[in-house]
Amino acid sequence: MYQAVIIKKGQGGWGGPLVVKPNDKQKYIMSVTGGGIDPVAQKIADLTGATALDGFLSSAPDDEIACVVVDCGGTARCGVYPKKGILTINLTPVGQAGPLAKYMNEENYVSGVKQVNVSLFDGEVPEGETTKAENGGAKKEDYQKIKSQAKASAEKQPGFVGLISRIGKAVGGVVGKFYQAGREAIDMVIKNVLPFMAFIAMLIGIINVTGLGTLIANTISPFAGSLPGLILISIVCTIPFLSPILGPGAVIAQVVGTLVGVQIGAGAIAPALALPALFAIDGQVGCDFIPVGLSLGEAETETVEIGVPAVLFSRLITGPAAVLIGFVLSIGMYS
Amino acid sequence: MDFLAQLATNFIGLFQAGGETFVGLVTGIVPLLIVLMTAVNSLIKIIGEERVEKAAKFSSKNFILRYTVLPVLAMFFLTNPMAYTFGRFVEEKHKAAFYDSAVSFCHPITGLFPHANPGELFVYLGISAGITTLGLPVGDLAIRYFIAGVLVILLRGIVTERIYAVMASKKANAGVK
């Protein structure tokens, strides 16, 4: 018999509260946090009687997951699971963010969660989740039906009026696409680009004013300023137990990239090394996201179990190799 | 009092420098970014996902196309993170390699097509900003990053496919014993 728990948002968090009640089919609490089962996932599992799984070691079909615990910094994971209709608990206090933000709402997502935010729920649990989803689906179908009926009636009009209305619709369709594209671009810039620019600008400002720049130059330049140094950086980034930790949101790669950029601008690092450096600081790309990425590609459970270590080990070879490829292709650049 | 005033000035100065950097980023990068993203988004909508899927199915068969054309198409048309859904076109034993290949392209593409991963632009922009500071053109870096990226994802795909095959066969053998 499974118990229900209620999960409230933590300090600075957003969304929720979510009520999680596993059942015989949805019996797994998936922890996609890179580095074992998170205590929050374990607590949910203990309280409900469900099984906690480490998403990096094992996997379960989407429809057997009661809820998923992630530690997403606001790019991908926090939106992927809500998009799939899986209740999502984010340990990081992140609101509606990332390219999939529109799928995140207060009914499927809660963030900033710590163990104290998880408690037993003794109220009535409506067997709501599935029915809610079905209602949503039906509504969409009705809408599609109405839309296609409208389309059909427009197409039926004969002669000149019909021709005009067809041209009008075609033009309207194209213009609509451009307009929507513009809206999406602005949305992306506001939600994803500008916040990071603010963060980077603050960082660069502080570094330049306080003289931290010299310190960083002395630390980074010997490594990022030579090919062996860059290879060393790529090896560190691809160590299998480090790479999933360095990955999330590419925040570390972006900050290091900015620091290296400042040094290139200052003349401490040769501009041609920019290309191999891009690969050196990015050997861990996506290592935090392997199970999710594979499940997006509809991979089987066993594929995920072997695939995660396969990718992590492969990076030890391809990480330094990528730096070499970058170095070879940088020959003749800015010389 | 003078001391306090001095302290306040220094404190504000710390963030004034940041503010200037921010204005530089916003006026230097954002306008181009918005127009470029609008153009590419429109192109994607006009071409439509169905036609891309046909090309994706075709390129999933051959190992060179599978780790070059397929990930590039996926990243360009579906962007990060939905690009990985193209994994459904490849065989089960190739899925890990395809993911590795595709995810490794989510930064090399941003030099030319920032719409593909707008949340993580500064891997490239951070470094290219240094080139801009030196007064050099960034086009050279962007195109070379793209080409090197394609070579790297091909290598990643091939290597990961091999490692996956070895690990899968070991696991199968262990199961028999």
Side-chain angles (χ1 to χ4, degrees):
Chain A
M1 184 59 204
Y2 294 102
Q3 300 290 318
V5 292
I6 183 161
I7 298 154
K8 298 198 177 93
K9 67 180 174 196
Q11 208 174 11
W14 185 87
L18 300 183
V19 175
V20 174
K21 185 166 197 276
N23 53 43
D24 288 333
K25 185 153 171 54
Q26 298 177 312
K27 55 183 181 287
Y28 295 115
I29 312 294
M30 189 68 91
S31 179
V32 192
T33 44
I37 292 168
D38 189 87
V40 169
Q42 193 58 53
K43 183 170 181 190
I44 297 171
D46 292 346
L47 288 178
T48 55
T51 314
L53 286 182
D54 180 353
F56 278 79
L57 297 178
S58 44
S59 153
D62 287 347
D63 55 356
E64 293 180 15
I65 297 172
C67 71
V68 58
V69 177
V70 299
D71 59 346
C72 175
T75 308
R77 268 175 290 176
C78 61
V80 165
Y81 290 105
K83 182 171 192 292
K84 291 180 176 198
I86 298 173
L87 297 179
T88 306
I89 294 133
N90 195 353
L91 306 174
T92 321
V94 167
Q96 280 174 301
L100 300 176
K102 61 182 170 213
Y103 298 102
M104 299 157 67
N105 59 48
E106 288 167 330
E107 272 90 58
N108 63 19
Y109 178 84
V110 60
S111 70
V113 175
K114 296 200 168 54
Q115 286 188 59
V116 291
N117 305 118
V118 180
S119 52
L120 273 175
F121 182 69
D122 40 11
E124 192 89 340
V125 182
E127 292 292 328
E129 290 316 319
T130 45
T131 37
K132 216 186 279 168
E134 274 163 20
N135 283 343
K139 227 182 253 168
K140 204 172 174 188
E141 235 163 61
D142 285 349
Y143 172 70
Q144 288 291 346
K145 208 187 272 173
I146 292 165
K147 205 173 157 188
S148 64
Q149 276 169 357
K151 210 175 178 181
S153 69
E155 273 161 11
K156 265 183 212 153
Q157 282 175 328
F160 187 64
V161 178
L163 180 73
I164 296 282
S165 82
R166 274 201 297 279
I167 292 175
K169 261 163 55 71
V171 172
V174 172
V175 172
K177 277 178 183 152
F178 282 123
Y179 180 43
Q180 183 59 29
R183 201 187 342 233
E184 281 172 18
I186 294 286
D187 223 40
M188 274 294 177
V189 168
I190 290 174
K191 280 204 178 119
N192 297 311
V193 180
L194 285 176
F196 209 87
M197 277 187 177
F199 163 56
I200 290 282
M202 183 191 75
L203 201 69
I204 294 181
I206 291 177
I207 288 172
N208 284 346
V209 172
T210 56
L212 267 175
T214 336
L215 183 73
I216 293 168
N218 291 338
T219 327
I220 285 190
S221 300
F223 291 105
S226 71
L227 183 62
L230 288 172
I231 290 179
L232 187 69
I233 294 176
S234 75
I235 293 173
V236 173
C237 289
T238 51
I239 295 173
F241 60 86
L242 272 184
S243 51
I245 304 169
L246 292 173
V251 173
I252 291 178
Q254 295 188 85
V255 170
V256 177
T258 306
L259 297 180
V260 172
V262 171
Q263 296 309 319
I264 292 176
I269 296 173
L273 283 179
L275 190 57
L278 280 165
F279 290 102
I281 62 172
D282 210 20
Q284 74 283 10
V285 57
C287 283
D288 58 312
F289 198 65
I290 306 168
V292 193
L294 284 172
S295 78
L296 284 172
E298 295 170 11
E300 305 278 340
T301 307
E302 288 153 30
T303 312
V304 177
E305 282 165 17
I306 308 175
V308 173
V311 173
L312 292 181
F313 286 129
S314 162
R315 289 292 173 88
L316 270 175
I317 304 167
T318 60
V323 178
L324 286 176
I325 292 176
F327 184 75
V328 170
L329 278 171
S330 76
I331 293 170
M333 185 170 69
Y334 304 127
S335 59
Chain B
M1 200 61 209
D2 277 356
F3 172 72
L4 284 179
Q6 189 59 42
L7 202 68
T9 312
N10 287 344
F11 180 74
I12 299 291
L14 201 58
F15 302 107
Q16 256 164 357
E20 278 159 27
T21 310
F22 184 70
V23 170
L25 289 173
V26 170
T27 54
I29 295 168
V30 169
L32 170 75
L33 195 66
I34 287 177
V35 179
L36 181 62
M37 275 167 65
T38 306
V40 177
N41 283 348
S42 316
L43 183 74
I44 292 170
K45 283 179 201 302
I46 289 166
I47 292 176
E49 218 169 291
E50 276 172 36
R51 263 169 264 185
V52 181
E53 283 186 5
K54 266 183 213 157
K57 264 180 210 153
F58 173 77
S59 52
S60 67
K61 307 281 181 267
N62 170 291
F63 81 93
I64 292 181
L65 296 180
R66 185 164 61 233
Y67 303 126
T68 54
V69 174
L70 186 58
V72 174
L73 280 179
M75 235 354 124
F76 184 88
F77 284 98
L78 301 188
T79 76
N80 185 37
M82 294 320 284
Y84 316 122
T85 57
F86 267 15
R88 68 183 188 274
F89 295 125
V90 306
E91 285 178 57
E92 199 64 36
K93 62 182 176 187
H94 297 149
K95 281 185 179 174
F98 170 75
Y99 168 76
D100 195 8
S101 177
V103 81
S104 297
F105 204 60
C106 76
H107 299 133
I109 196 173
T110 55
L112 293 175
F113 303 110
H115 75 283
N117 197 3
E120 301 176 354
L121 287 180
F122 275 88
V123 177
Y124 170 76
L125 276 185
I127 286 190
S128 76
I131 304 291
T132 314
T133 313
L134 293 176
L136 297 167
V138 289
D140 204 3
L141 180 63
I143 189 73
R144 284 174 194 248
Y145 191 27
F146 191 93
I147 296 168
V150 173
L151 295 176
V152 168
I153 64 173
L154 175 61
L155 178 76
R156 288 228 162 114
I158 294 169
V159 172
T160 306
E161 190 181 304
R162 285 302 310 152
I163 292 180
Y164 182 88
V166 170
M167 288 175 70
S169 72
K170 266 194 191 147
K171 195 176 181 192
N173 287 341
V176 171
K177 280 169 200 167

